[in-house]
């Protein structure tokens, strides 16, 4: 076995023993901005087989935060995919999580919290400000390379 093959074996052993989470899959659709604690929380799982359960895990130590049952598989006429719904509305714990489906993978991370939309709102307003003309624009320390002089005067 060459040195690269050996490295892969070592990584797999470490991943199995220490619970290193796999790379996210695009087959599990979550709201990457996040969810309010007391709001409805849905995710969609694209699969051609009936999968029965899903898990919500905290990114802090991969601990189990919620266990749920996926809905029956239905055809999504817009995408042509077969999807199952993961409803985890009962989870109101604040934090950062991912959704895991055995045999399929894990989602991108998402947050649950009362101020979850604050960053998206801030970024949307900064984008509108950054597109202004007729005045100089400087997005400040958060975006130090985005500035321009007044234009279309």
């Amino acid at each position: 076995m060459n040195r690269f093959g050996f490295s892969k074996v070592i990584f797999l052993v470490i991943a199995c023993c220490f619970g290193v989470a796999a790379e996210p899959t695009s087959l599990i659709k979550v709201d990457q901005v996040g969810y309010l604690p007391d709001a409805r929380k849905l995710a969609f799982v694209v699969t051609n087989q009936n999968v029965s359960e899903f898990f919500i895990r905290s990114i802090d130590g991969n601990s189990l935060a919620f266990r749920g049952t996926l809905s029956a598989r239905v055809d999504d006429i817009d995408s042509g995919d077969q999807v199952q719904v993961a409803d985890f509305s009962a989870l109101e714990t604040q934090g950062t999580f991912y959704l895991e489906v055995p045999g399929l993978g894990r989602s991108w991370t998402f947050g649950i919290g009362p101020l979850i939309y604050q960053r998206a709102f801030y970024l949307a307003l900064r984008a509108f400000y950054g597109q202004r003309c007729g005045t100089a624009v400087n997005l400040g320390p958060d975006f130090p390379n985005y500035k321009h002089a007044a234009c279309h005067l």
Side-chain angles (χ1 to χ4, degrees), residues 16 19 33 39 133 135:
C16 291
V33 172
C133 283
T135 187

Side-chain angles (χ1 to χ4, degrees), residues 1 4-5 11 18 30 32 48 61 74 77 91 103 107 137 147:
M1 179 180 324
F4 295 109
F11 175 76
F18 296 102
V30 295
Q32 290 175 306
N48 59 3
V74 297
I77 59 171
L91 177 61
S107 72
V137 171
K147 50 186 150 193

